Amino acid sequence: MNGNLAINPEIYSSSWRAFSQATSPFELYAHLILTATGQVFYTGGYFAFNNGVSARLLTLPGNFNQRITETPVGAL
């Protein structure tokens, strides 16, 4: 946790698993879309406060101890 933000994403697939490497501080209820390529697209939308995180593509690694790659997406 970073203040009130969980910066270690979790995935549920029969049980909860958390990535050990931190990501950008996404706000609660971040607007996330799973793409056809298996990446996760963060639209830049959020519930309450913007923590300075813009729209980006997230590429999930094969292991939970590796960092999630974040690629900013411009011109939205």
Side-chain angles (χ1 to χ4, degrees), residues 5-21:
L5 300 174
I7 56 174
N8 292 79
E10 297 178 346
I11 292 179
Y12 183 83
S13 179
S14 72
S15 65
W16 285 102
R17 300 264 331 253
F19 288 90
S20 61
Q21 306 243 354

Side-chain angles (χ1 to χ4, degrees), residues 33-42 56-60 69 71:
I33 299 168
L34 181 62
T35 69
T37 61
Q39 294 175 298
V40 177
F41 175 59
Y42 170 57
R56 60 195 56 223
L57 280 172
L58 307 172
T59 303
L60 303 179
T69 304
T71 307

Side-chain angles (χ1 to χ4, degrees), residues 1-8 24-28 49 51:
M1 297 290 283
N2 179 8
N4 292 327
L5 300 174
I7 56 174
N8 292 79
S24 294
F26 294 100
E27 181 54 62
L28 292 174
F49 302 102
N51 295 309

